[in-house]
Amino acid sequence: MHAKNLTPVNRGDAPQSSARRGHKRLLFALIAAIVLIAAAECAVFNLPFWRTLGASTDTNAVHNTLGAGLQRTDEGLLRVTDPTKAYLELTADGTSDYLRVDTVSDEAIEQANQQAQADTQSDAATESSDGNTEGNTDSKSSKPLSSIHIRVDVGGQAGRVQWLSPSVERSHIVKASGSGTVRVWIVEKLGAVVPISDARANVRVPFAVNGLRMAAMAVILLLIAIWRPGSRLWRIALNPSSTRQRLAFTGIMLVVCAAFGASIIWQLRHAQPLVFHTENGYTYDFDQYAHVADSLIAGRSWLDLPVPDQLAQTADPYDVPTRLKLLEDGVSPIYWDYAFYNGHWYSYFGVLPAALLFVPYRLLTGMILPTSAAEQFLTMLFIVFFSMLVLRVVHRVMPATSLAAASLTVTGALLGAQVGYLAYRTNFYQVPFAASLALTSLGLWFWLGADTCARPLRKADRWSVGDTKPLSLPRLAAGALCIAANFGCRPTFTLTALLAFPLFWPQIRALVGELRARRISWGKALHAPLAVILPAAVVVAPLMVWNQVRFSSPFNFGNAYQFTVSDMTRYTTPLEDMPATIWYYLFLPLRFTNHFPWLSISPAPMPVWGYYEVMVGALFTATPLMLLAFALPFLRKLEMHGLRPWLTGCLVLAGVLVVFDSYVGGLGWRYSCDFGWLAALAAAPCLLWLVNGREPSRTLAGANDAVSGDGIAHVTPWRWLTRWIVTLLTIWTLIIAVLSCFVLSRDDSLIVNNPSVWYQVQSWFSLLQ
């Protein structure tokens, strides 16, 4: 009796003991992470502090000796009078490998700014009174630079050019090893005014703890912890019906929405109209969607923007030399990348984002919606909807997979879909891409959930034919509505409708067979097709009318009438460039450097001149896990539960769009958004197979069972290795996406748009190099 009484007690204590061990392991891991981050922050990133504790801090003069090419202004700033002799000279005794560049006070910088503005107004008044329109090139003063290029030479050894920002104190510390004469060169053009007072050698580097840097390290450690092969997430099955997992997914998406929401609110409060004019050049107005919204509200199809008489009277305004002559003659405004047709300005971008976002905001607030806020809102929706779509694909392809495998697949798919590019670049060029990606993701999510056996709200909501799975008519209609809406955003995405054929092929084939055998009436047979066609027609018909009213054709969006680098009414991509362009889209190599951000723009030379946007890398080099899409046709023994034809269709469509974009648009980073998401979906089965916890299970007809009920004991060494490889590649891809935001010379470079952030992050690493 006594032995029998122990049995249930032991069984009851086992889960509690296991839970206690789990809590202890979690606490140990948390403490270890904190210690590791603290050690990296204090010992690694503050290594210059420890190395300069013995610095003499001696200085040989209150002010440095100035080269003949520098002149000190009344405010204490330096003006470059001769770039070949623009240096500060001092002496280093070798007790410190670092020097500090001191800048003038904020008050002195503001005073110099005010003086420069006053001198500019004075020069303009003088030009107006003298009738001189060529401008005074010998302006009295210039605004102080907000970022400064310097080079430090020690003992006659030339250093490398570095960047300094007056607003980021850490960037004032410059590595300068050695002793002897030190020259700090100001690498700026003639007449530049720099807010530098002096430089000091033999300095002690202050100890600094950076919370953002520690948070970045914590995120990397967290990703390693949750994706490492021994993580508990590998032993928890993905269950879309689980309330806890749904709440967890909602929580993660709320964090994403909160981050985007904070940025959107900031944009709404601080954004200004984005329009500027270059002398004898184009006028750049990036509020295209706001202008379209105003036109819709006013009930007109053209934009209410001024048209110069000389332009309106030009016989062929699309001819580039003709336009350049107009600009040279001072004709203005001529808007860059706007469509000009029959004496009016138009936007050739899809009208739907303007109708759904910009018009309501204008009517409710009386103000224009900042394009950046709209783009970020649409990108946020894309992240949510695409994550839902990928999870549905994962569950359909491999019903018995783990949360770790599913989260790796979702993260890799988002990166492959160029979410980093969309989150970074927020001008109007990205609005149609973000809108179509969000709509397409939601539409396909509806379609993938259409073949359901769940009890409908109404019996009429289900349609079945033969012995195939019943289809939900509301989901068919909702998916068709979303995908058809691409006609008013990025029309290329309407090709996604072709994926309905491999997805619903069993029902299509059964329907044809039933009609031939006359076992089904035409009325019932048309329920599903009409559920797709009618919602699509409701969206597409008014959009076709919109095109007809503007450009006399329902399929003419006006892109041929845009004013850009070439005459788009005649331009076609040279066929000689096609192989190179396709190659660059897929395999343009990453170009690494030996200084922050360790990435650079990769050159993409073309046999013949053609349009291209500079890129950091390509789909398969910046996101190497997307290469797994090529393995899809060879995974014939892997059960995919009916999605193999559909995923193959995604891969084929991605290839078609690569060729199409190469021919129509040339090489553009943003065009990777057209096909990157399709390659990501096609890569999902192979990625899931690689990280699977067990070899193929007979009980699942060849499907891979990623969940091991008794922990990781049954995970083979091969699976263990592939989990680590996929985890590290995912983190690597994430790091590349972040660093690409800091790359110099890219479009909308961060060092120009937000230099304080660029210099702040750059200063984390500059003293360690």
Side-chain angles (χ1 to χ4, degrees):
M1 291 293 296
H2 183 68
K4 292 181 180 179
N5 289 336
L6 286 177
T7 303
V9 174
N10 290 338
R11 288 178 179 175
D13 287 346
Q16 297 179 11
S17 177
S18 177
R20 284 195 295 269
R21 288 196 300 270
H23 292 158
K24 288 182 180 179
R25 286 196 298 266
L26 179 61
L27 180 61
F28 177 78
L30 182 61
I31 294 174
I34 294 174
V35 171
L36 185 61
I37 292 173
E41 184 68 16
C42 297
V44 177
F45 288 104
N46 277 286
L47 184 61
F49 164 78
W50 304 107
R51 295 179 60 183
T52 57
L53 287 176
S56 67
T57 69
D58 292 338
T59 180
N60 51 333
V62 175
H63 290 298
N64 305 141
T65 300
L66 298 183
L70 288 178
Q71 179 184 24
R72 201 175 294 275
T73 68
D74 295 339
E75 297 84 6
L77 290 74
L78 300 178
R79 184 191 304 278
V80 178
T81 57
D82 183 355
T84 64
K85 300 177 182 178
Y87 61 84
L88 300 87
E89 189 171 275
L90 60 157
T91 303
D93 59 17
T95 59
S96 172
D97 288 336
Y98 302 90
L99 64 81
R100 184 184 70 248
V101 179
D102 292 335
T103 57
V104 299
S105 64
D106 294 339
E107 291 77 9
I109 295 176
E110 180 60 27
Q111 183 179 355
N113 279 327
Q114 294 176 358
Q115 184 62 46
Q117 184 176 0
D119 290 342
T120 300
Q121 294 174 350
S122 175
D123 291 342
T126 302
E127 293 171 9
S128 176
S129 61
D130 293 344
N132 180 11
T133 60
E134 296 181 358
N136 184 0
T137 57
D138 298 324
S139 179
K140 297 178 183 178
S141 61
S142 303
K143 289 185 177 181
L145 298 176
S146 58
S147 59
I148 309 156
H149 293 75
I150 64 172
R151 192 187 77 231
V152 179
D153 299 348
V154 182
Q157 297 295 322
R160 68 168 184 264
V161 176
Q162 302 180 60
W163 295 266
L164 180 149
S165 173
S167 61
V168 181
E169 292 188 8
R170 197 70 172 179
S171 70
H172 296 192
I173 307 296
V174 180
K175 193 168 185 178
S177 303
S179 61
T181 301
V182 179
R183 285 187 174 181
V184 180
W185 288 85
I186 309 300
V187 189
E188 298 292 349
K189 64 182 181 180
L190 177 66
V193 176
V194 296
I196 290 177
S197 56
D198 293 285
R200 306 298 178 193
N202 318 314
V203 300
R204 295 173 184 167
V205 178
F207 187 88
V209 175
N210 188 286
L212 184 60
R213 182 168 58 207
M214 295 176 68
M217 288 188 286
V219 169
I220 294 176
L221 288 179
L222 176 62
L223 294 178
I224 294 175
I226 64 176
W227 286 335
R228 64 185 177 85
S231 167
R232 186 169 178 265
L233 289 186
W234 290 103
R235 303 190 295 275
I236 301 177
L238 173 66
N239 182 9
S241 301
S242 168
T243 301
R244 293 182 61 181
Q245 291 189 20
R246 288 187 176 188
L247 290 176
F249 176 80
T250 302
I252 295 172
M253 291 299 107
L254 285 177
V255 172
V256 173
C257 293
F260 275 92
S263 178
I264 291 170
I265 292 173
W266 190 93
Q267 298 289 345
L268 294 177
R269 295 180 60 183
H270 298 94
Q272 300 293 327
L274 297 176
V275 55
F276 60 94
H277 172 71
T278 57
E279 186 176 0
N280 295 113
Y282 289 96
T283 298
Y284 297 85
D285 190 330
F286 295 100
D287 290 317
Q288 283 206 20
Y289 280 98
H291 296 315
V292 174
D294 288 341
S295 295
L296 291 173
I297 294 172
R300 58 174 178 264
S301 61
W302 43 269
L303 306 182
D304 188 20
L305 295 173
V307 178
D309 293 336
Q310 299 93 321
L311 177 63
Q313 296 168 5
T314 300
D316 186 7
Y318 310 109
D319 180 62
V320 174
T322 300
R323 271 189 277 138
L324 293 177
K325 183 62 170 63
L326 292 174
L327 293 171
E328 184 181 342
D329 294 340
V331 176
S332 179
I334 298 180
Y335 290 95
W336 174 261
D337 227 355
Y338 278 69
F340 184 72
Y341 183 74
N342 284 348
H344 291 293
W345 295 108
Y346 295 90
S347 173
Y348 63 90
F349 292 92
V351 69
L352 200 59
L356 296 181
L357 297 178
F358 289 81
V359 167
Y361 189 85
R362 183 68 153 175
L363 293 175
L364 290 173
T365 67
M367 298 182 292
I368 66 172
L369 175 64
T371 303
S372 55
E375 196 276 345
Q376 288 184 337
F377 176 74
L378 292 169
T379 300
M380 179 186 71
L381 292 182
F382 163 60
I383 292 175
V384 175
F385 296 154
F386 192 63
S387 299
M388 293 165 50
L389 172 63
V390 175
L391 286 174
R392 180 157 281 180
V393 170
V394 168
H395 188 62
R396 283 282 300 272
V397 170
M398 294 185 180
T401 192
S402 65
L403 289 182
S407 60
L408 274 169
T409 306
V410 170
T411 304
L414 284 169
L415 292 170
Q418 310 300 309
V419 71
Y421 180 85
L422 291 171
Y424 176 83
R425 289 204 74 192
T426 58
N427 60 30
F428 69 94
Y429 289 105
Q430 279 61 249
V431 169
F433 288 95
S436 280
L437 283 168
L439 288 168
T440 304
S441 300
L442 184 59
L444 291 178
W445 181 80
F446 278 123
W447 276 1
L448 280 175
D451 57 344
T452 176
C453 296
R455 180 179 296 178
L457 295 177
R458 298 184 311 132
K459 187 177 180 180
D461 291 344
R462 290 292 185 271
W463 179 88
S464 61
V465 58
D467 57 355
T468 61
K469 287 184 178 180
L471 296 179
S472 167
L473 296 180
R475 295 184 187 184
L476 283 178
L481 186 72
C482 293
I483 292 174
N486 287 311
F487 195 77
C489 300
R490 173 82 175 157
T492 309
F493 280 79
T494 57
L495 295 175
T496 307
L498 297 175
L499 296 177
F501 290 97
L503 183 60
F504 301 121
W505 183 248
Q507 288 82 3
I508 295 173
R509 184 174 55 186
L511 177 60
V512 173
E514 293 292 300
L515 286 174
R516 285 179 177 177
R518 298 183 178 180
R519 290 192 295 263
I520 188 174
S521 66
W522 279 97
K524 183 180 179 181
L526 291 176
H527 282 179
L530 289 177
V532 173
I533 295 173
L534 291 180
V538 168
V539 175
V540 172
L543 294 173
M544 294 175 70
V545 172
W546 172 256
N547 288 341
Q548 178 71 36
V549 170
R550 297 191 305 161
F551 304 117
S552 304
S553 171
F555 299 102
N556 189 344
F557 294 89
N559 53 298
Y561 308 126
Q562 60 182 292
F563 281 6
T564 182
V565 293
S566 59
D567 182 352
M568 298 304 293
T569 62
R570 301 182 179 91
Y571 176 80
T572 57
T573 300
L575 293 179
E576 298 93 326
D577 288 349
M578 288 290 292
T581 303
I582 294 172
W583 174 261
Y584 293 146
Y585 267 128
L586 302 179
F587 297 105
L588 180 69
L590 296 174
R591 186 183 182 191
F592 294 98
T593 64
N594 60 358
H595 54 82
F596 181 83
W598 305 291
L599 279 176
S600 180
I601 292 298
S602 290
M606 298 287 182
V608 181
W609 180 92
Y611 168 78
Y612 74 91
E613 174 189 359
V614 292
M615 299 165 61
V616 171
L619 178 64
F620 297 130
T621 55
T623 54
L625 286 174
M626 297 304 99
L627 281 167
L628 298 176
F630 289 127
L632 180 64
F634 303 100
L635 298 176
R636 296 191 180 99
K637 294 184 179 180
L638 186 64
E639 174 61 44
M640 298 184 192
H641 299 276
L643 279 193
R644 182 187 300 275
W646 184 78
L647 291 169
T648 303
C650 290
L651 183 60
V652 172
L653 183 57
V656 170
L657 289 176
V658 170
V659 176
F660 175 82
D661 285 333
S662 299
Y663 182 72
V664 176
L667 182 65
W669 196 345
R670 62 180 179 270
Y671 296 137
S672 297
C673 299
D674 278 339
F675 51 83
W677 65 281
L678 289 163
L681 292 175
C686 187
L687 190 149
L688 289 168
W689 173 73
L690 284 177
V691 300
N692 215 332
R694 284 185 174 180
E695 298 299 326
S697 170
R698 296 178 181 177
T699 59
L700 292 175
N704 285 5
D705 181 8
V707 184
S708 176
D710 46 359
I712 59 173
H714 295 289
V715 178
T716 64
W718 166 251
R719 296 298 182 196
W720 187 281
L721 176 63
T722 53
R723 284 183 182 180
W724 269 121
I725 291 174
V726 171
T727 295
L728 295 177
L729 279 178
T730 302
I731 295 175
W732 166 263
T733 302
L734 186 61
I735 292 173
I736 292 296
V738 173
L739 291 180
S740 67
C741 299
F742 295 86
V743 168
L744 304 175
S745 301
R746 66 167 292 172
D747 289 341
D748 293 340
S749 60
L750 191 63
I751 197 172
V752 174
N753 289 349
N754 199 336
S756 61
V757 172
W758 194 96
Y759 285 108
Q760 180 65 44
V761 178
Q762 183 257 356
S763 68
W764 296 356
F765 310 100
S766 59
L767 301 186
L768 305 178
Q769 300 176 1

